[in-house]
Amino acid sequence: MANYNVLSLSAQSIWVQAIGFGLTHLARTNPGWSYLILSKEEEGIVPNLYILDLTANTDIDVQALPVVNSRLLVLVHAYQRRLIKKLQQESRCSLLCVDEHFLNFREIIESSARHKRFMSPFIRELLMQQPVPVDEIKLTETESKVLKFIRNGKNGVEISQALFRSQKTISSHKRNIMRKLGVSDDLGLKQKILAMEESAR
């Protein structure tokens, strides 16, 4: 029987609980495999994985991390791009984006067992993206206004009311913006907007 020990270095959070549920499912589907989530180090038990929830942080001193290898799984949100890049560049920790809908817990376990760094799919994609220079994208005046509203979280109805245009016209402008930015859906558009804002800083 294989025992897998997980030490949570953070106060109990919804994300640590979610990992517990994922591990429970993994244990149910793999007879002979079990896990234990610890809230503090116990004598005689060596953790296979350490979990650190940084979803509420904006910055961290990487040198102050309690564990600096791939067995440390750091939980982050998709919008914490600076923190993600800093952790990727300055440490060897594994990174998990809690905003992803599907997580492969088996891959997380296998990576930590092999002392291999785990990066969730969103983080891998984020790190491969090149910043988009804002001045290279040619938008019309109205498309720029629509993009500004989208950046501020407005939906099509709100934008059409603010610009005194029909929703169909706003949708057409949004499709043109998406085509010019090379994205095909709203998630891709939001990611591209965040990348543009990041490159403008």
Side-chain angles (χ1 to χ4, degrees), residues 90-114:
E90 298 179 19
S91 80
R92 288 283 309 139
C93 66
S94 296
L95 296 167
L96 175 65
C97 177
V98 297
D99 299 320
E100 293 186 56
H101 296 288
F102 302 103
L103 301 174
N104 186 343
F105 284 95
R106 182 181 300 277
E107 187 180 348
I108 295 169
I109 300 304
E110 288 174 356
S111 294
S112 70
R114 293 184 180 133

Side-chain angles (χ1 to χ4, degrees), residues 137-140 143 175-183:
I137 300 166
K138 304 294 182 207
L139 299 176
T140 66
E143 288 170 350
R175 277 193 305 275
N176 290 337
I177 292 167
M178 291 170 72
R179 180 181 47 79
K180 291 177 181 181
L181 294 176
V183 297

Side-chain angles (χ1 to χ4, degrees), residues 3 6 14 16 79-80 95 102-103 106 117 141 194:
N3 291 321
V6 179
I14 189 169
V16 174
Y79 62 82
Q80 294 175 294
L95 296 167
F102 302 103
L103 301 174
R106 182 181 300 277
R117 187 178 208 181
E141 183 180 339
L194 285 171

Side-chain angles (χ1 to χ4, degrees), residues 1 15 23 35 41 72 74 82-83 88 130-131 198:
M1 181 166 194
W15 307 116
L23 293 174
Y35 76 95
E41 290 196 52
L72 174 63
V74 177
R82 283 193 181 142
L83 180 60
Q88 187 266 335
Q130 297 297 319
E198 193 72 28

